[in-house]
Coordinates of all heavy atoms in Angstrom, one line a residue:
D1 N 3.9 -11.2 -3.9 CA 2.8 -10.2 -3.7 C 1.5 -10.4 -4.5 O 0.5 -10.2 -4.0 CB 3.4 -8.8 -4.0 CG 2.9 -7.8 -3.1 OD1 2.3 -8.1 -2.1 OD2 3.1 -6.6 -3.4
T2 N 1.7 -11.0 -5.7 CA 0.6 -11.3 -6.5 C -0.4 -12.2 -5.9 O -1.6 -12.2 -6.1 CB 1.0 -11.9 -7.9 OG1 2.0 -11.0 -8.4 CG2 -0.1 -12.1 -8.9
F3 N 0.1 -13.1 -5.1 CA -0.7 -14.2 -4.5 C -1.3 -13.9 -3.1 O -2.1 -14.7 -2.6 CB 0.1 -15.5 -4.4 CG 0.5 -16.1 -5.7 CD1 1.4 -17.1 -5.8 CD2 0.0 -15.6 -6.9 CE1 1.7 -17.7 -6.9 CE2 0.4 -16.1 -8.1 CZ 1.3 -17.2 -8.2
L4 N -0.9 -12.8 -2.5 CA -1.3 -12.5 -1.2 C -2.7 -11.8 -1.2 O -2.9 -10.9 -2.0 CB -0.3 -11.6 -0.5 CG 1.1 -12.1 -0.3 CD1 2.0 -11.2 0.5 CD2 1.1 -13.5 0.3
K5 N -3.6 -12.3 -0.3 CA -4.9 -11.7 -0.1 C -5.1 -11.2 1.2 O -4.7 -11.9 2.2 CB -6.0 -12.8 -0.4 CG -6.1 -13.2 -2.0 CD -6.5 -12.1 -2.8 CE -6.6 -12.5 -4.3 NZ -7.0 -11.5 -5.2
Y6 N -5.6 -9.9 1.4 CA -5.7 -9.3 2.7 C -7.1 -9.1 3.1 O -8.1 -9.1 2.2 CB -5.0 -7.9 2.6 CG -3.6 -8.0 2.2 CD1 -3.2 -7.9 0.9 CD2 -2.5 -8.0 3.2 CE1 -1.8 -8.0 0.6 CE2 -1.2 -8.0 2.8 CZ -0.8 -8.0 1.5 OH 0.5 -8.1 1.2
T7 N -7.4 -9.0 4.4 CA -8.8 -8.6 4.8 C -9.1 -7.2 4.4 O -8.2 -6.4 4.0 CB -8.9 -8.6 6.3 OG1 -8.0 -7.7 6.9 CG2 -8.5 -10.1 6.9
E8 N -10.3 -6.9 4.4 CA -10.8 -5.6 4.0 C -10.1 -4.4 4.9 O -9.7 -3.4 4.4 CB -12.3 -5.4 4.1 CG -12.9 -4.1 3.7 CD -14.4 -4.0 3.8 OE1 -15.0 -5.0 4.0 OE2 -14.9 -2.8 3.8
E9 N -10.1 -4.7 6.1 CA -9.5 -3.8 7.1 C -8.1 -3.5 6.8 O -7.5 -2.4 6.7 CB -9.6 -4.3 8.5 CG -9.1 -3.4 9.6 CD -9.3 -3.9 11.1 OE1 -9.8 -5.1 11.2 OE2 -8.8 -3.2 11.9
D10 N -7.2 -4.6 6.6 CA -5.8 -4.5 6.3 C -5.6 -3.8 4.9 O -4.7 -3.1 4.8 CB -5.1 -5.9 6.4 CG -5.0 -6.3 7.9 OD1 -5.0 -5.4 8.8 OD2 -4.9 -7.6 8.0
N11 N -6.4 -4.2 4.0 CA -6.4 -3.7 2.6 C -6.5 -2.2 2.7 O -5.7 -1.4 2.1 CB -7.4 -4.3 1.8 CG -6.8 -4.9 0.5 OD1 -5.8 -4.5 0.1 ND2 -7.5 -5.9 -0.1
N12 N -7.5 -1.7 3.3 CA -7.8 -0.3 3.4 C -6.6 0.5 4.2 O -6.2 1.5 3.7 CB -9.1 -0.1 4.2 CG -10.3 -0.5 3.4 OD1 -10.2 -0.5 2.2 ND2 -11.4 -0.7 4.0
A13 N -6.1 -0.1 5.2 CA -5.1 0.5 6.0 C -3.8 0.6 5.2 O -3.2 1.7 5.1 CB -4.8 -0.3 7.3
M14 N -3.4 -0.5 4.5 CA -2.2 -0.5 3.7 C -2.4 0.4 2.5 O -1.4 1.1 2.1 CB -1.9 -1.9 3.2 CG -1.5 -2.9 4.3 SD -1.0 -4.5 3.7 CE 0.5 -4.0 2.7
S15 N -3.5 0.5 1.9 CA -3.7 1.4 0.7 C -3.5 2.8 1.0 O -2.8 3.5 0.3 CB -5.1 1.1 0.2 OG -5.3 1.8 -1.0
L16 N -4.1 3.2 2.1 CA -3.9 4.6 2.5 C -2.5 5.0 2.8 O -2.0 6.0 2.4 CB -4.8 4.9 3.8 CG -6.3 4.9 3.6 CD1 -7.0 5.0 4.9 CD2 -6.7 6.1 2.7
V17 N -1.8 4.1 3.5 CA -0.4 4.3 3.8 C 0.4 4.3 2.6 O 1.3 5.2 2.4 CB 0.1 3.2 4.8 CG1 1.6 3.3 5.0 CG2 -0.6 3.5 6.2
N18 N 0.2 3.3 1.7 CA 1.0 3.2 0.5 C 0.9 4.4 -0.4 O 1.9 4.8 -1.1 CB 0.7 1.9 -0.3 CG 1.3 0.7 0.3 OD1 2.3 0.7 1.0 ND2 0.6 -0.4 0.2
T19 N -0.3 5.0 -0.5 CA -0.5 6.1 -1.3 C 0.4 7.3 -0.9 O 1.1 7.9 -1.6 CB -2.0 6.6 -1.2 OG1 -2.8 5.6 -1.8 CG2 -2.2 7.9 -2.1
E20 N 0.4 7.5 0.5 CA 1.3 8.5 1.1 C 2.8 8.3 0.8 O 3.5 9.1 0.6 CB 0.9 8.8 2.5 CG -0.3 9.6 2.8 CD -0.4 10.0 4.2 OE1 0.5 10.9 4.6 OE2 -1.2 9.6 4.9
L21 N 3.1 7.0 1.1 CA 4.5 6.5 0.9 C 5.0 6.8 -0.5 O 6.1 7.4 -0.7 CB 4.7 5.0 1.2 CG 4.4 4.6 2.7 CD1 4.5 3.1 2.8 CD2 5.5 5.3 3.6
M22 N 4.2 6.5 -1.5 CA 4.6 6.6 -2.9 C 4.7 8.1 -3.2 O 5.5 8.5 -4.0 CB 3.7 5.8 -3.9 CG 3.8 4.4 -3.8 SD 5.5 3.8 -4.0 CE 6.0 3.5 -2.3
N23 N 3.8 8.9 -2.8 CA 3.8 10.3 -3.0 C 5.2 10.9 -2.6 O 5.8 11.7 -3.3 CB 2.6 11.1 -2.3 CG 1.3 10.8 -2.9 OD1 1.2 10.4 -4.1 ND2 0.3 11.0 -2.2
L24 N 5.6 10.5 -1.4 CA 6.9 11.0 -0.9 C 8.1 10.3 -1.6 O 9.0 11.0 -2.0 CB 6.9 10.7 0.6 CG 8.3 11.1 1.4 CD1 8.5 12.6 1.3 CD2 8.2 10.6 2.8
A25 N 8.0 9.0 -1.7 CA 9.2 8.3 -2.2 C 9.5 8.5 -3.7 O 10.7 8.9 -4.0 CB 9.0 6.8 -2.0
M26 N 8.4 8.6 -4.5 CA 8.7 8.7 -6.0 C 9.1 10.2 -6.3 O 9.9 10.4 -7.2 CB 7.5 8.3 -6.7 CG 7.1 6.9 -6.5 SD 8.5 5.7 -6.7 CE 8.9 5.9 -8.5
A27 N 8.6 11.2 -5.6 CA 8.9 12.6 -5.8 C 10.4 12.7 -5.4 O 11.2 13.5 -6.1 CB 8.1 13.5 -5.0
N28 N 10.9 12.1 -4.3 CA 12.2 12.2 -3.9 C 13.1 11.5 -4.8 O 14.3 11.9 -5.0 CB 12.4 11.7 -2.4 CG 12.0 12.8 -1.4 OD1 12.8 13.8 -1.3 ND2 11.0 12.6 -0.8
F29 N 12.7 10.4 -5.4 CA 13.6 9.6 -6.3 C 13.9 10.5 -7.5 O 15.2 10.7 -7.8 CB 12.9 8.3 -6.8 CG 13.6 7.6 -7.9 CD1 14.8 6.9 -7.6 CD2 13.2 7.7 -9.2 CE1 15.5 6.3 -8.6 CE2 14.0 7.1 -10.3 CZ 15.1 6.4 -9.9

């Protein structure tokens, strides 16, 4: 993961999703 570089579009899309995913996943953990 450290070595992977994403386009701006993909970065933005993943970032928004990951924020929501972690909000749900870590609270449930």
Side-chain angles (χ1 to χ4, degrees):
D1 217 11
T2 306
F3 294 172
L4 303 184
K5 292 291 181 184
Y6 301 88
T7 63
E8 179 180 349
E9 181 182 1
D10 287 338
N11 236 332
N12 289 338
M14 290 185 67
S15 180
L16 289 171
V17 170
N18 282 332
T19 298
E20 283 196 63
L21 290 176
M22 291 306 99
N23 287 341
L24 177 62
M26 298 311 294
N28 275 291
F29 173 75

